[in-house]
Coordinates of all heavy atoms in Angstrom, one line a residue:
T1113 N 65.5 5.9 -25.3 CA 64.4 5.1 -24.8 C 63.8 5.5 -23.5 O 62.7 5.1 -23.1 CB 64.7 3.6 -24.8 OG1 65.7 3.4 -23.9 CG2 65.0 3.0 -26.2
A1114 N 64.6 6.3 -22.7 CA 64.1 6.7 -21.4 C 62.8 7.5 -21.4 O 61.9 7.3 -20.6 CB 65.2 7.5 -20.7
P1115 N 62.6 8.4 -22.3 CA 61.3 9.2 -22.4 C 60.2 8.2 -22.7 O 59.1 8.4 -22.1 CB 61.5 10.2 -23.6 CG 63.0 10.4 -23.6 CD 63.6 9.0 -23.3
R1116 N 60.4 7.2 -23.5 CA 59.3 6.2 -23.8 C 59.0 5.4 -22.5 O 57.9 5.1 -22.2 CB 59.7 5.3 -25.0 CG 58.6 4.5 -25.4 CD 58.9 3.8 -26.7 NE 60.2 3.1 -26.6 CZ 60.9 2.8 -27.7 NH1 60.4 2.9 -28.9 NH2 62.1 2.2 -27.6
L1117 N 60.1 5.0 -21.8 CA 59.9 4.3 -20.5 C 59.1 5.1 -19.5 O 58.2 4.6 -18.9 CB 61.3 3.9 -19.9 CG 61.2 3.3 -18.5 CD1 60.5 2.0 -18.5 CD2 62.7 3.1 -18.0
R1118 N 59.5 6.4 -19.4 CA 58.8 7.2 -18.4 C 57.3 7.4 -18.8 O 56.4 7.2 -18.0 CB 59.5 8.6 -18.5 CG 58.8 9.6 -17.5 CD 59.5 10.9 -17.6 NE 58.8 11.9 -16.9 CZ 59.3 12.8 -16.0 NH1 60.6 12.7 -15.7 NH2 58.6 13.7 -15.5
A1119 N 57.1 7.6 -20.1 CA 55.7 7.7 -20.5 C 54.9 6.5 -20.4 O 53.7 6.5 -20.0 CB 55.7 8.1 -22.0
T1120 N 55.5 5.3 -20.7 CA 54.8 4.1 -20.5 C 54.5 3.8 -19.1 O 53.3 3.3 -18.7 CB 55.6 2.9 -21.2 OG1 55.8 3.2 -22.5 CG2 54.9 1.6 -21.0
L1121 N 55.4 4.0 -18.2 CA 55.2 3.7 -16.8 C 54.1 4.7 -16.3 O 53.2 4.2 -15.5 CB 56.5 3.8 -16.0 CG 57.5 2.7 -16.2 CD1 58.8 3.1 -15.5 CD2 57.0 1.4 -15.8
W1122 N 54.2 5.9 -16.6 CA 53.1 6.9 -16.2 C 51.8 6.4 -16.7 O 50.8 6.4 -16.0 CB 53.5 8.3 -16.8 CG 52.4 9.3 -16.4 CD1 52.4 10.0 -15.2 CD2 51.2 9.6 -17.1 NE1 51.2 10.8 -15.1 CE2 50.5 10.6 -16.3 CE3 50.7 9.3 -18.4 CZ2 49.3 11.2 -16.8 CZ3 49.6 9.8 -18.8 CH2 48.9 10.7 -18.0
W1123 N 51.7 6.0 -18.0 CA 50.4 5.5 -18.5 C 49.8 4.3 -17.8 O 48.7 4.2 -17.4 CB 50.6 5.2 -20.0 CG 49.3 4.7 -20.6 CD1 48.3 5.3 -21.0 CD2 49.1 3.3 -20.9 NE1 47.3 4.5 -21.5 CE2 47.7 3.2 -21.4 CE3 49.8 2.1 -20.7 CZ2 47.2 2.0 -21.8 CZ3 49.2 0.9 -21.0 CH2 47.9 0.9 -21.6
V1124 N 50.7 3.3 -17.5 CA 50.3 2.2 -16.8 C 49.7 2.5 -15.4 O 48.7 2.1 -15.0 CB 51.4 1.1 -16.6 CG1 51.1 0.0 -15.6 CG2 51.8 0.5 -18.0
L1125 N 50.5 3.4 -14.7 CA 50.0 3.8 -13.4 C 48.7 4.6 -13.5 O 47.7 4.4 -12.6 CB 51.0 4.7 -12.7 CG 52.3 3.9 -12.2 CD1 53.4 4.8 -11.9 CD2 52.0 3.1 -11.0
A1126 N 48.5 5.5 -14.4 CA 47.3 6.3 -14.6 C 46.1 5.5 -15.1 O 45.0 5.7 -14.6 CB 47.6 7.5 -15.5
E1127 N 46.4 4.6 -16.0 CA 45.3 3.8 -16.7 C 44.8 2.7 -15.8 O 43.6 2.5 -15.7 CB 45.8 3.3 -18.0 CG 44.7 2.6 -18.8 CD 43.6 3.6 -19.3 OE1 43.9 4.7 -19.5 OE2 42.5 3.0 -19.7
F1128 N 45.7 2.0 -15.1 CA 45.3 0.8 -14.4 C 45.2 0.9 -12.9 O 44.7 0.0 -12.2 CB 46.2 -0.4 -14.9 CG 46.1 -0.7 -16.3 CD1 47.1 -0.3 -17.2 CD2 45.0 -1.3 -16.8 CE1 47.1 -0.5 -18.6 CE2 44.9 -1.6 -18.2 CZ 46.0 -1.2 -19.0
D1129 N 45.9 2.0 -12.4 CA 45.9 2.2 -10.9 C 46.3 0.9 -10.1 O 45.5 0.5 -9.3 CB 44.6 2.8 -10.5 CG 44.6 3.3 -9.1 OD1 45.8 3.7 -8.6 OD2 43.6 3.4 -8.4
P1130 N 47.4 0.3 -10.5 CA 47.7 -1.0 -9.9 C 48.2 -0.8 -8.4 O 48.5 0.3 -8.0 CB 49.0 -1.4 -10.7 CG 49.6 -0.2 -11.1 CD 48.5 0.8 -11.4
R1131 N 48.1 -1.9 -7.7 CA 48.6 -1.9 -6.2 C 50.1 -2.3 -6.2 O 50.7 -2.0 -5.2 CB 47.8 -2.8 -5.4 CG 46.3 -2.4 -5.2 CD 46.2 -1.1 -4.5 NE 45.5 -0.1 -5.4 CZ 45.8 1.2 -5.4 NH1 46.7 1.7 -4.7 NH2 45.2 2.0 -6.3
E1132 N 50.5 -3.0 -7.3 CA 51.9 -3.4 -7.4 C 52.3 -3.3 -8.9 O 51.5 -3.7 -9.8 CB 52.0 -4.8 -6.9 CG 53.5 -5.3 -7.0 CD 53.7 -6.7 -6.4 OE1 52.7 -7.4 -6.3 OE2 54.8 -7.0 -6.0
L1133 N 53.5 -2.8 -9.1 CA 54.1 -2.7 -10.4 C 55.5 -3.2 -10.4 O 56.3 -2.7 -9.6 CB 54.1 -1.2 -10.9 CG 54.7 -1.0 -12.2 CD1 54.0 -1.7 -13.4 CD2 54.7 0.5 -12.5
I1134 N 55.8 -4.2 -11.2 CA 57.2 -4.8 -11.3 C 57.7 -4.5 -12.6 O 57.1 -4.8 -13.7 CB 57.1 -6.3 -11.0 CG1 56.5 -6.6 -9.7 CG2 58.5 -6.9 -11.2 CD1 56.2 -8.1 -9.4
V1135 N 58.8 -3.8 -12.6 CA 59.5 -3.5 -13.9 C 60.7 -4.5 -14.1 O 61.6 -4.4 -13.4 CB 60.1 -2.0 -13.9 CG1 60.8 -1.6 -15.2 CG2 58.9 -1.1 -13.6
D1136 N 60.6 -5.3 -15.1 CA 61.6 -6.3 -15.4 C 62.7 -5.7 -16.3 O 62.4 -5.3 -17.4 CB 60.9 -7.5 -16.1 CG 61.8 -8.7 -16.3 OD1 63.1 -8.5 -16.2 OD2 61.3 -9.7 -16.6
L1137 N 63.9 -5.7 -15.7 CA 65.0 -5.1 -16.4 C 66.0 -6.2 -17.0 O 67.1 -5.9 -17.3 CB 65.8 -4.2 -15.5 CG 65.1 -2.9 -15.0 CD1 66.0 -2.1 -14.1 CD2 64.6 -2.1 -16.2
A1138 N 65.5 -7.5 -17.1 CA 66.4 -8.5 -17.5 C 67.0 -8.3 -18.9 O 68.1 -8.7 -19.1 CB 65.6 -9.8 -17.5
G1139 N 66.3 -7.6 -19.8 CA 66.8 -7.4 -21.1 C 67.5 -6.0 -21.3 O 67.7 -5.5 -22.4
V1140 N 67.8 -5.4 -20.1 CA 68.4 -4.0 -20.2 C 69.9 -4.1 -19.8 O 70.2 -4.2 -18.6 CB 67.7 -3.1 -19.2 CG1 68.3 -1.7 -19.3 CG2 66.2 -3.0 -19.6
P1141 N 70.8 -4.1 -20.8 CA 72.2 -4.2 -20.5 C 72.8 -2.9 -20.0 O 73.9 -2.9 -19.4 CB 72.8 -4.5 -21.8 CG 71.9 -4.0 -22.9 CD 70.5 -4.0 -22.2
F1142 N 72.2 -1.7 -20.2 CA 72.8 -0.5 -19.8 C 71.7 0.5 -19.4 O 70.6 0.5 -20.0 CB 73.6 0.1 -21.0 CG 74.1 1.5 -20.7 CD1 75.2 1.6 -19.9 CD2 73.5 2.6 -21.1 CE1 75.7 3.0 -19.6 CE2 73.9 3.9 -20.9 CZ 75.1 4.0 -20.1
L1143 N 71.9 1.2 -18.3 CA 70.9 2.2 -17.8 C 71.7 3.4 -17.4 O 72.6 3.3 -16.5 CB 70.1 1.6 -16.6 CG 69.0 2.4 -16.1 CD1 67.8 2.3 -17.0 CD2 68.6 2.0 -14.7
D1144 N 71.4 4.6 -18.0 CA 72.1 5.8 -17.7 C 71.3 6.6 -16.7 O 70.2 6.1 -16.2 CB 72.5 6.6 -18.9 CG 71.3 7.1 -19.7 OD1 70.1 7.0 -19.2 OD2 71.5 7.6 -20.8
S1145 N 71.7 7.8 -16.4 CA 71.0 8.6 -15.5 C 69.6 9.0 -15.9 O 68.7 9.2 -15.1 CB 71.8 9.9 -15.1 OG 72.0 10.7 -16.3
T1146 N 69.4 9.1 -17.2 CA 68.0 9.4 -17.7 C 67.1 8.2 -17.5 O 65.9 8.4 -17.1 CB 68.1 9.7 -19.2 OG1 69.2 10.7 -19.5 CG2 66.8 10.3 -19.8
G1147 N 67.6 7.0 -17.7 CA 66.7 5.9 -17.4 C 66.5 5.7 -15.9 O 65.4 5.4 -15.5
R1148 N 67.5 6.0 -15.1 CA 67.3 5.9 -13.7 C 66.3 7.0 -13.3 O 65.4 6.7 -12.4 CB 68.7 6.2 -13.0 CG 68.6 6.2 -11.5 CD 69.9 6.5 -10.8 NE 70.1 8.0 -11.0 CZ 71.3 8.5 -11.3 NH1 72.3 7.7 -11.5 NH2 71.4 9.8 -11.4
G1149 N 66.3 8.2 -13.9 CA 65.3 9.2 -13.6 C 63.9 8.8 -14.0 O 63.0 9.1 -13.3
A1150 N 63.8 8.1 -15.1 CA 62.5 7.6 -15.5 C 61.9 6.6 -14.5 O 60.7 6.6 -14.1 CB 62.5 6.9 -16.9
L1151 N 62.8 5.7 -13.9 CA 62.4 4.8 -12.9 C 61.9 5.5 -11.6 O 60.9 5.2 -11.0 CB 63.5 3.8 -12.6 CG 63.7 2.8 -13.8 CD1 65.0 1.9 -13.4 CD2 62.5 1.8 -14.0
L1152 N 62.8 6.5 -11.2 CA 62.4 7.2 -10.0 C 61.2 8.0 -10.2 O 60.4 8.2 -9.2 CB 63.6 8.1 -9.6 CG 64.8 7.3 -9.1 CD1 66.0 8.2 -8.8 CD2 64.4 6.5 -7.8
F1153 N 60.9 8.6 -11.3 CA 59.7 9.4 -11.6 C 58.5 8.4 -11.4 O 57.6 8.8 -10.7 CB 59.7 9.9 -13.0 CG 58.4 10.3 -13.5 CD1 57.9 11.6 -13.2 CD2 57.6 9.5 -14.2 CE1 56.6 12.0 -13.6 CE2 56.3 10.0 -14.7 CZ 55.8 11.2 -14.3
A1154 N 58.6 7.2 -12.0 CA 57.5 6.3 -11.8 C 57.4 5.8 -10.4 O 56.3 5.6 -9.9 CB 57.7 5.1 -12.7
W1155 N 58.5 5.6 -9.7 CA 58.4 5.2 -8.3 C 57.8 6.2 -7.4 O 56.9 5.9 -6.6 CB 59.9 4.9 -7.8 CG 60.0 4.6 -6.4 CD1 59.7 3.4 -5.8 CD2 60.3 5.5 -5.3 NE1 59.9 3.5 -4.4 CE2 60.3 4.7 -4.1 CE3 60.7 6.8 -5.3 CZ2 60.6 5.4 -2.9 CZ3 61.0 7.4 -4.0 CH2 60.9 6.6 -2.9
R1156 N 58.0 7.5 -7.7 CA 57.4 8.6 -6.9 C 55.9 8.6 -7.2 O 55.1 8.8 -6.3 CB 58.1 9.9 -7.2 CG 59.4 10.1 -6.5 CD 59.9 11.5 -6.5 NE 60.3 12.0 -7.8 CZ 61.5 11.7 -8.4 NH1 62.3 10.8 -7.9 NH2 61.7 12.2 -9.6
Q1157 N 55.6 8.5 -8.5 CA 54.1 8.5 -8.8 C 53.4 7.3 -8.2 O 52.3 7.4 -7.7 CB 54.0 8.4 -10.4 CG 52.6 8.5 -10.9 CD 51.8 9.7 -10.5 OE1 52.5 10.8 -10.4 NE2 50.5 9.7 -10.3
A1158 N 54.1 6.1 -8.2 CA 53.5 4.9 -7.7 C 53.2 5.1 -6.2 O 52.1 4.7 -5.6 CB 54.4 3.7 -7.9
R1159 N 54.2 5.7 -5.5 CA 54.0 5.9 -4.0 C 52.8 6.8 -3.8 O 52.1 6.6 -2.8 CB 55.2 6.6 -3.4 CG 56.3 5.6 -3.2 CD 57.5 6.1 -2.5 NE 57.0 6.5 -1.1 CZ 57.7 7.1 -0.2 NH1 59.0 7.3 -0.4 NH2 57.2 7.4 1.0
R1160 N 52.6 7.9 -4.6 CA 51.5 8.7 -4.4 C 50.1 8.0 -4.6 O 49.1 8.4 -4.0 CB 51.5 9.9 -5.4 CG 52.5 11.0 -5.0 CD 52.3 12.3 -5.9 NE 52.8 12.1 -7.2 CZ 54.1 12.3 -7.6 NH1 55.0 12.8 -6.7 NH2 54.5 12.2 -8.8
Q1161 N 50.2 6.9 -5.4 CA 49.0 6.1 -5.7 C 48.9 4.9 -4.8 O 48.0 4.1 -5.0 CB 49.0 5.7 -7.1 CG 48.9 6.8 -8.1 CD 48.9 6.3 -9.6 OE1 49.4 7.0 -10.4 NE2 48.3 5.1 -9.9
V1162 N 49.7 4.8 -3.8 CA 49.8 3.7 -2.9 C 50.0 2.4 -3.7 O 49.3 1.4 -3.6 CB 48.5 3.6 -2.0 CG1 48.7 2.5 -0.9 CG2 48.1 4.9 -1.4
C1163 N 50.9 2.4 -4.6 CA 51.3 1.3 -5.4 C 52.8 1.0 -5.1 O 53.6 1.8 -5.0 CB 51.2 1.7 -6.9 SG 51.9 0.4 -8.1
R1164 N 53.1 -0.3 -4.9 CA 54.4 -0.7 -4.6 C 55.1 -1.1 -6.0 O 54.7 -2.0 -6.7 CB 54.4 -2.0 -3.8 CG 55.8 -2.5 -3.5 CD 55.7 -3.7 -2.4 NE 57.0 -4.1 -2.1 CZ 57.7 -5.2 -2.6 NH1 57.0 -6.0 -3.5 NH2 58.9 -5.5 -2.3
M1165 N 56.1 -0.2 -6.3 CA 56.8 -0.4 -7.5 C 58.2 -1.0 -7.2 O 58.9 -0.4 -6.4 CB 57.0 0.8 -8.3 CG 57.7 0.6 -9.7 SD 58.0 2.2 -10.5 CE 59.7 1.9 -11.0
T1166 N 58.5 -2.1 -7.9 CA 59.9 -2.7 -7.7 C 60.5 -3.0 -9.1 O 59.8 -3.1 -10.1 CB 59.8 -4.0 -6.9 OG1 59.0 -4.9 -7.5 CG2 59.4 -3.7 -5.5
V1167 N 61.8 -3.2 -9.0 CA 62.5 -3.5 -10.2 C 63.0 -5.0 -10.0 O 63.4 -5.4 -9.0 CB 63.7 -2.6 -10.4 CG1 64.7 -3.1 -11.5 CG2 63.3 -1.2 -10.8
A1168 N 62.9 -5.8 -11.1 CA 63.2 -7.2 -11.0 C 64.3 -7.5 -12.0 O 64.4 -7.0 -13.1 CB 62.0 -8.0 -11.3
D1169 N 65.2 -8.4 -11.6 CA 66.1 -9.1 -12.5 C 67.1 -8.1 -13.2 O 67.3 -8.3 -14.5 CB 65.4 -10.0 -13.5 CG 66.3 -11.1 -13.9 OD1 67.3 -11.4 -13.3 OD2 66.0 -11.7 -15.0
P1170 N 67.6 -7.1 -12.6 CA 68.6 -6.2 -13.3 C 69.9 -7.0 -13.6 O 70.3 -7.8 -12.8 CB 68.8 -5.1 -12.3 CG 68.6 -5.7 -11.0 CD 67.5 -6.8 -11.2
Q1171 N 70.5 -6.7 -14.7 CA 71.8 -7.2 -15.0 C 72.8 -6.6 -14.0 O 72.6 -5.6 -13.5 CB 72.1 -7.0 -16.4 CG 71.2 -7.7 -17.4 CD 71.6 -7.7 -18.8 OE1 72.8 -7.4 -19.1 NE2 70.7 -7.9 -19.8
P1172 N 73.9 -7.3 -13.8 CA 74.9 -6.8 -12.8 C 75.4 -5.4 -13.0 O 75.5 -4.6 -12.0 CB 76.1 -7.8 -13.0 CG 75.4 -9.1 -13.4 CD 74.3 -8.6 -14.4
R1173 N 75.6 -5.0 -14.2 CA 76.0 -3.6 -14.5 C 74.9 -2.6 -14.1 O 75.3 -1.5 -13.6 CB 76.4 -3.5 -16.0 CG 76.9 -2.2 -16.4 CD 77.3 -2.2 -17.9 NE 77.9 -1.0 -18.2 CZ 78.3 -0.7 -19.5 NH1 78.2 -1.6 -20.4 NH2 78.8 0.4 -19.7
V1174 N 73.7 -2.9 -14.4 CA 72.6 -2.0 -14.1 C 72.4 -2.0 -12.6 O 72.2 -0.9 -12.0 CB 71.3 -2.5 -14.8 CG1 70.1 -1.7 -14.3 CG2 71.5 -2.3 -16.3
L1175 N 72.4 -3.1 -11.9 CA 72.3 -3.2 -10.5 C 73.4 -2.4 -9.8 O 73.2 -1.6 -8.9 CB 72.3 -4.6 -10.0 CG 72.3 -4.8 -8.5 CD1 71.0 -4.2 -7.9 CD2 72.4 -6.3 -8.1
A1176 N 74.6 -2.5 -10.3 CA 75.8 -1.7 -9.7 C 75.5 -0.2 -9.8 O 75.7 0.5 -8.9 CB 77.0 -2.1 -10.4
M1177 N 75.0 0.2 -11.0 CA 74.8 1.6 -11.2 C 73.7 2.1 -10.2 O 73.8 3.2 -9.6 CB 74.4 1.9 -12.7 CG 74.3 3.4 -13.0 SD 72.7 4.2 -12.5 CE 71.6 3.6 -13.7
L1178 N 72.6 1.3 -10.0 CA 71.6 1.7 -9.1 C 72.0 1.8 -7.7 O 71.6 2.7 -6.9 CB 70.3 0.8 -9.3 CG 69.6 0.8 -10.7 CD1 68.6 -0.3 -10.8 CD2 69.0 2.2 -10.9
R1179 N 72.9 0.9 -7.3 CA 73.4 0.9 -6.0 C 74.4 2.1 -5.8 O 74.3 2.8 -4.8 CB 74.2 -0.4 -5.7 CG 73.3 -1.6 -5.4 CD 74.2 -2.8 -5.1 NE 73.3 -3.8 -4.6 CZ 73.6 -5.1 -4.6 NH1 74.8 -5.5 -5.2 NH2 72.7 -6.1 -4.2
I1180 N 75.2 2.4 -6.8 CA 76.1 3.5 -6.7 C 75.4 4.8 -6.5 O 75.7 5.7 -5.8 CB 77.1 3.5 -7.9 CG1 78.1 2.3 -7.7 CG2 77.8 4.9 -8.0 CD1 78.9 2.1 -9.0
A1181 N 74.3 4.9 -7.3 CA 73.4 6.1 -7.3 C 72.6 6.2 -6.0 O 72.0 7.2 -5.7 CB 72.6 6.1 -8.5
G1182 N 72.6 5.1 -5.2 CA 71.9 5.2 -4.0 C 70.4 5.0 -4.1 O 69.6 5.4 -3.2
V1183 N 69.9 4.4 -5.2 CA 68.4 4.3 -5.4 C 68.0 2.8 -5.4 O 66.8 2.6 -5.5 CB 68.0 5.0 -6.7 CG1 68.3 6.5 -6.6 CG2 68.6 4.4 -7.9
A1184 N 68.9 1.9 -5.3 CA 68.5 0.5 -5.4 C 67.5 0.1 -4.3 O 66.5 -0.6 -4.6 CB 69.7 -0.4 -5.2
G1185 N 67.6 0.6 -3.1 CA 66.7 0.3 -2.0 C 65.3 0.8 -2.4 O 64.3 0.2 -2.0
H1186 N 65.2 2.0 -3.0 CA 63.9 2.6 -3.3 C 63.2 1.7 -4.3 O 61.9 1.6 -4.3 CB 64.0 3.9 -4.0 CG 64.5 5.0 -3.0 ND1 63.9 5.3 -1.8 CD2 65.6 5.8 -3.2 CE1 64.6 6.2 -1.2 NE2 65.6 6.6 -2.0
L1187 N 63.9 1.0 -5.2 CA 63.4 0.2 -6.2 C 63.3 -1.3 -5.8 O 63.0 -2.2 -6.7 CB 64.2 0.3 -7.5 CG 64.3 1.8 -8.0 CD1 65.3 1.9 -9.2 CD2 62.9 2.2 -8.5
G1188 N 63.4 -1.6 -4.5 CA 63.2 -3.0 -4.1 C 64.4 -3.9 -4.3 O 64.3 -5.1 -4.3
L1189 N 65.6 -3.3 -4.4 CA 66.8 -4.0 -4.7 C 67.7 -4.1 -3.6 O 68.9 -4.5 -3.8 CB 67.4 -3.5 -6.0 CG 66.6 -3.6 -7.3 CD1 67.3 -2.8 -8.4 CD2 66.5 -5.0 -7.7
D1190 N 67.4 -3.6 -2.4 CA 68.3 -3.5 -1.3 C 68.9 -4.9 -0.9 O 70.0 -5.0 -0.4 CB 67.7 -2.8 -0.1 CG 66.3 -3.3 0.2 OD1 65.8 -4.1 -0.5 OD2 65.8 -2.7 1.2
A1191 N 68.1 -6.0 -1.1 CA 68.5 -7.3 -0.8 C 68.9 -8.1 -2.0 O 69.0 -9.3 -2.0 CB 67.4 -8.1 0.0
A1192 N 69.2 -7.4 -3.2 CA 69.5 -8.2 -4.4 C 70.9 -8.9 -4.2 O 71.8 -8.3 -3.7 CB 69.5 -7.2 -5.6
A1193 N 71.0 -10.0 -4.8 CA 72.2 -10.8 -4.8 C 73.2 -10.2 -5.7 O 72.8 -9.5 -6.7 CB 71.9 -12.2 -5.1
P1194 N 74.5 -10.4 -5.4 CA 75.5 -9.9 -6.3 C 75.4 -10.3 -7.7 O 75.8 -9.6 -8.6 CB 76.8 -10.4 -5.7 CG 76.5 -10.7 -4.3 CD 75.0 -11.1 -4.3
G1195 N 74.8 -11.4 -8.0 CA 74.6 -11.9 -9.4 C 73.6 -11.1 -10.2 O 73.4 -11.3 -11.4
G1196 N 72.9 -10.2 -9.5 CA 71.9 -9.3 -10.3 C 70.5 -9.8 -10.1 O 69.6 -9.1 -10.5
K1197 N 70.3 -10.9 -9.3 CA 68.9 -11.3 -9.2 C 68.3 -10.6 -7.9 O 69.0 -10.5 -6.9 CB 68.8 -12.8 -8.9 CG 69.4 -13.6 -10.1 CD 68.6 -13.4 -11.4 CE 69.2 -14.3 -12.5 NZ 68.7 -13.9 -13.8
A1198 N 67.1 -10.1 -8.1 CA 66.5 -9.4 -7.0 C 65.6 -10.4 -6.1 O 65.2 -11.3 -6.6 CB 65.6 -8.2 -7.5

């Protein structure tokens, strides 16, 4: 599903040129490096467009992976509570 996520986020950024984009991960129980890459691709694209992209409501396992990878802060999760709520 990561390629579909990447394509969808790119489309939203290109089509709507938002000033803010929130990606809700509440229903995502697992995120691997490919999914993380899709999020970071969109984050970089959003920055180029002066759009603030954040991730919301990651499950604890997903939040832990993003923290371990060192990208939680880029995605607006630096102040996320241990329970997974951003």
Side-chain angles (χ1 to χ4, degrees):
T1113 59
R1116 189 170 50 198
L1117 171 63
R1118 181 181 169 127
T1120 301
L1121 291 172
W1122 179 86
W1123 176 78
V1124 167
L1125 287 164
E1127 184 70 21
F1128 300 103
D1129 194 25
R1131 295 296 116 217
E1132 181 175 23
L1133 176 61
I1134 300 170
V1135 181
D1136 187 345
L1137 295 181
V1140 179
F1142 176 78
L1143 187 74
D1144 65 7
S1145 61
T1146 309
R1148 181 183 72 224
L1151 290 173
L1152 289 174
F1153 166 81
W1155 175 79
R1156 284 192 291 284
Q1157 182 63 32
R1159 283 191 60 181
R1160 282 192 285 273
Q1161 294 179 216
V1162 192
C1163 172
R1164 181 174 182 258
M1165 183 184 135
T1166 57
V1167 168
D1169 207 17
Q1171 294 189 20
R1173 183 177 183 180
V1174 172
L1175 177 59
M1177 189 281 285
L1178 293 171
R1179 283 183 171 158
I1180 289 168
V1183 299
H1186 294 307
L1187 299 172
L1189 296 170
D1190 47 358
K1197 303 294 182 197

